[in-house]
Amino acid sequence: MKPFFGLFLLVVISLSCSKEPAITTEMVDGGTLFDPSVYNPEKYLVSRAIPTPTAEQARKPVIIACHGYSATTFEWDEFRAWANGRTDFYLSQVLLNGHGRSYEDFKKSTWQDWQAAIVAEYEALTKAGYQNISLLSSSTSGALLLNLVASGYFANRMAPRNLLLVDPIIIPSDKSLSLVKALGPMLGYVEVDQPATEDKVYYHFRPQETLQQLQSLLTIVRKDLEKGITLPSNCNLKVYKSKKDPSADPVSAVLIYKGTTLPNGQPIDVELIDSELHVYTRLNLREDVTSKDRQNQTTTFTDIVSRVLR
């Protein structure tokens, strides 16, 4: 998920403006550019690439990588590139429903739709016989995964070995998101200040309907954490959280730490990352990437794989 850049101010400015955004064909919003996984799902989803695994393949770890609100599978492309053809695990990059297509598709989607894409790949893999699955998330998909656990989804299913959450959002850094329910209908949409290159892989315009869906999801998960979430048997959880995150307040990690426990009652792992980026594992198309940013990315990718291969 990208920063909102002052939602309340944008509301005030846009009251006299059109509620329909000026979308161009160069944006993913326009419906001309689609996420490549739409055309070639077998290159992104293990369930499509190897639908009938051998016994050896079924035992190999699978990582399902899930992107954030308004993003696409692009958010985990660098992880695939870093893995560089490794054969000791498989990687599925899930495109959340409603994402990576037109603005209208995004506008009418719900947070349950977003979550359903993760569930579909998980169930396809388990049905095919894969025995070792971990779920990797960035930003909003972290909340989607926590909701799956809290809802009891894994109660009568094979549990994931790991939940690995990169910059999960529970509390937005921009507190004006809380105004979207009251002011969203007047706003229509939020325009994000991002480079044209990012317009091809992140929505430039955020419909107020989807912002309301995001707010609803975060409210539900906050309440789940207040009640307490216990992970299913044989499942571990680690949070990787940027210290100065412009989108997901670092207190999100605190809430997850306090509200989530391992099956044996022990606390989960939380690592604070010396970074000022949101989803610090995605560096492509960013400006002013430092050597520290690249070190953070490599260290996190290495840790993720080491946990999956244990």
Side-chain angles (χ1 to χ4, degrees):
M1 187 186 73
K2 307 287 288 299
F4 293 110
F5 299 103
L7 178 60
F8 180 74
L9 179 59
L10 286 170
V11 170
V12 174
I13 292 173
S14 66
L15 287 179
S16 60
C17 302
S18 170
K19 292 183 181 180
E20 294 302 320
I23 299 172
T24 69
T25 56
E26 288 74 27
M27 300 174 180
V28 69
D29 314 50
T32 301
L33 301 173
F34 286 86
D35 186 275
S37 67
V38 174
Y39 298 114
N40 296 298
E42 68 281 356
K43 293 184 177 180
Y44 290 83
L45 300 176
V46 175
S47 66
R48 298 293 294 273
I50 314 174
T52 310
T54 64
E56 180 181 359
Q57 290 171 327
R59 289 191 296 268
K60 190 176 296 187
V62 181
I63 300 174
I64 300 177
C66 319
H67 63 79
Y69 167 83
S70 82
T72 57
T73 56
F74 167 81
E75 204 151 68
W76 288 109
D77 279 354
E78 288 162 84
F79 183 44
R80 183 179 292 276
W82 173 85
N84 193 29
R86 289 180 61 153
T87 59
D88 50 351
F89 70 93
Y90 296 124
L91 176 63
S92 272
Q93 287 171 262
V94 168
L95 178 66
L96 302 187
N97 290 339
H99 288 67
R101 302 168 179 87
S102 71
Y103 175 85
E104 289 301 321
D105 286 333
F106 188 34
K107 181 178 179 179
K108 66 186 181 183
S109 66
T110 66
W111 69 261
Q112 291 93 340
D113 293 331
W114 311 341
Q115 187 183 68
I118 303 171
V119 169
E121 178 62 1
Y122 192 86
E123 292 186 352
L125 290 171
T126 55
K127 184 177 181 180
Y130 289 93
Q131 303 160 27
N132 185 343
I133 303 173
S134 292
L135 291 162
L136 171 63
S137 71
S138 55
S139 193
T140 299
S141 57
L144 293 173
L145 296 186
L146 289 172
N147 174 260
L148 275 181
V149 176
S151 69
Y153 172 78
F154 296 109
N156 298 306
R157 293 178 172 85
M158 183 186 76
R161 297 288 181 88
N162 297 277
L163 298 181
L164 304 162
L165 316 184
V166 173
D167 285 335
I169 181 169
I170 304 299
I171 303 293
S173 294
D174 186 347
K175 303 305 185 288
S176 57
L177 178 62
S178 62
L179 301 174
V180 72
K181 186 172 183 180
L183 300 178
M186 291 186 290
L187 174 65
Y189 63 89
V190 169
E191 181 175 3
V192 178
D193 182 15
Q194 64 188 21
T197 50
E198 291 193 357
D199 286 346
K200 300 178 186 299
V201 289
Y202 290 95
Y203 284 99
H204 185 95
F205 299 101
R206 315 291 163 81
Q208 64 89 12
E209 291 87 351
T210 62
L211 292 172
Q212 290 203 42
Q213 289 295 316
L214 175 61
Q215 176 70 353
S216 295
L217 169 65
L218 299 185
T219 299
I220 290 169
V221 175
R222 280 197 297 271
K223 292 179 179 178
D224 289 335
L225 290 168
E226 288 172 3
K227 296 175 184 176
I229 299 175
T230 300
L231 294 171
S233 298
N234 303 314
C235 179
N236 289 296
L237 189 156
K238 180 169 182 178
V239 174
Y240 305 85
K241 191 72 195 71
S242 180
K243 290 181 179 178
K244 298 181 180 179
D245 190 325
S247 292
D249 193 313
V251 77
S252 298
V254 176
L255 294 179
I256 296 172
Y257 180 80
K258 289 184 175 180
T260 310
T261 57
L262 297 177
N264 60 5
Q266 293 298 306
I268 64 165
D269 288 337
V270 174
E271 181 178 356
L272 295 179
I273 308 299
D274 184 16
S275 172
E276 298 183 7
L277 302 176
H278 180 57
V279 187
Y280 68 91
T281 48
R282 191 277 292 184
L283 301 179
N284 285 349
L285 305 185
R286 293 190 191 270
E287 298 177 354
D288 303 321
V289 172
T290 67
S291 59
K292 180 65 174 177
D293 294 329
R294 297 199 181 282
Q295 179 184 339
N296 287 337
Q297 183 192 62
T298 299
T299 300
T300 298
F301 287 168
T302 301
D303 188 67
I304 287 168
V305 171
S306 70
R307 288 173 173 272
V308 167
L309 295 179
R310 285 178 186 172

